[in-house]
Amino acid sequence: MADRETRPTTVWSRPERGARGPAPERSRTQIAAAALALADAEGLAAVSMRALAQRLGTGPASLYRYVGSRDELLDLMADAVAGELDLSGATGGDWLDDLVGLAVQSRDAHVRHPWLADLNDRRGEVLGPHAIDYLDHALGILAPAPGTAGQKLEAIGLLGGLAVLFARREAAATHTGAPAAGDPSTGDPAGRAAHLAAVAAEGRHPHLLAALTAAGAPPPADRDALFVRLLRRLLPAMLGQGEP
């Protein structure tokens, strides 16, 4: 009995409709889609049961027939985004190419829905059906890869963390607009590089000066290429050389 009372429950622990009563007018999928549209347009703070009911043209009380709380609604929203990822590709090819492709999809989903990272930061990630499908698919991709099961789960976690990081940088760059060329205060890569080189040339940071001299001129800023390059370097190292 104690185990049953303390077992965690989610919105998916309950059937979408009860055995009795009239058929529901809406599905959880429809409700989640409307909530996503609201969050994309106005931000996560704008998502309330009342605002969502107004968007759907119904009363707030009626939504509680489908979700028990706003927290459950947020869980549905997060899982709906996971459902946007295309998992139809066959596994068993080049695991690194396939996993990087999955990471790019994840990053793009976070770019489309910039509120998602904040939601997961505050609540922790509750794994719904689509998220579990994603995890299983990623593990299937990694089946031929070296490394232990624990290392593979850590690699998938790293993949998600980098996707969020790059999506946030993309959102910040979009929010601030195009930077003024050569100005480090605006986030312009050329301006930052010039500023760093000038500081290193003062002679008080010999290791930085040596590294910049050896590296030469930085390549043109390309977040997509950098994202892929980091994954292709980090993932094999985690799986082939990391500690169990």
Side-chain angles (χ1 to χ4, degrees):
M1 178 67 70
D3 289 343
R4 184 179 302 172
E5 291 174 351
T6 58
R7 184 182 301 147
T9 60
T10 70
V11 64
W12 301 282
S13 302
R14 304 187 308 273
E16 186 158 356
R17 62 168 297 181
R20 299 180 180 180
E25 299 175 358
R26 296 177 176 84
S27 67
R28 288 173 180 167
T29 299
Q30 292 170 330
I31 291 172
L36 255 66
L38 180 59
D40 290 343
E42 303 182 34
L44 189 62
V47 178
S48 67
M49 300 296 273
R50 181 176 299 276
L52 181 59
Q54 184 176 10
R55 191 178 188 93
L56 290 169
T58 187
S62 69
L63 290 182
Y64 288 99
R65 296 171 52 199
Y66 307 95
V67 291
S69 65
R70 182 177 184 267
D71 285 346
E72 287 191 351
L73 175 63
L74 297 179
D75 291 343
L76 287 175
M77 293 168 61
D79 196 60
V81 176
E84 296 177 358
L85 275 61
D86 181 9
L87 307 181
S88 62
T91 59
D94 185 307
W95 67 264
L96 184 55
D97 285 345
D98 291 344
L99 199 62
V100 168
L102 193 61
V104 170
Q105 282 198 68
S106 179
R107 183 208 57 191
D108 291 347
H110 279 85
V111 170
R112 290 193 301 272
H113 309 291
W115 47 266
L116 179 62
D118 292 334
L119 185 157
N120 290 335
D121 283 348
R122 293 206 308 267
R123 291 181 37 73
E125 191 169 359
V126 178
L127 295 183
H130 289 119
I132 292 173
D133 289 344
Y134 164 85
L135 179 58
D136 185 75
H137 183 75
L139 287 169
I141 289 174
L142 286 172
T148 65
Q151 288 173 330
K152 291 177 181 181
L153 288 169
E154 289 174 351
I156 295 170
L158 172 69
L159 179 155
L162 281 177
V164 171
L165 173 63
F166 273 73
R168 280 177 162 161
R169 295 187 67 178
E170 183 72 23
T174 301
H175 179 73
T176 56
D183 184 355
S185 66
T186 63
D188 172 53
R192 288 198 305 266
H195 171 70
L196 195 60
V199 171
E202 295 174 357
R204 294 184 294 108
H205 305 88
H207 302 295
L208 176 60
L209 178 59
L212 292 177
T213 301
D222 185 337
R223 290 189 181 88
D224 289 346
L226 177 59
F227 181 65
V228 170
R229 188 163 64 247
L230 285 176
L231 286 171
R232 296 188 72 87
R233 288 177 179 173
L234 291 172
L235 290 171
M238 288 187 69
L239 296 172
Q241 301 174 9
E243 297 180 0

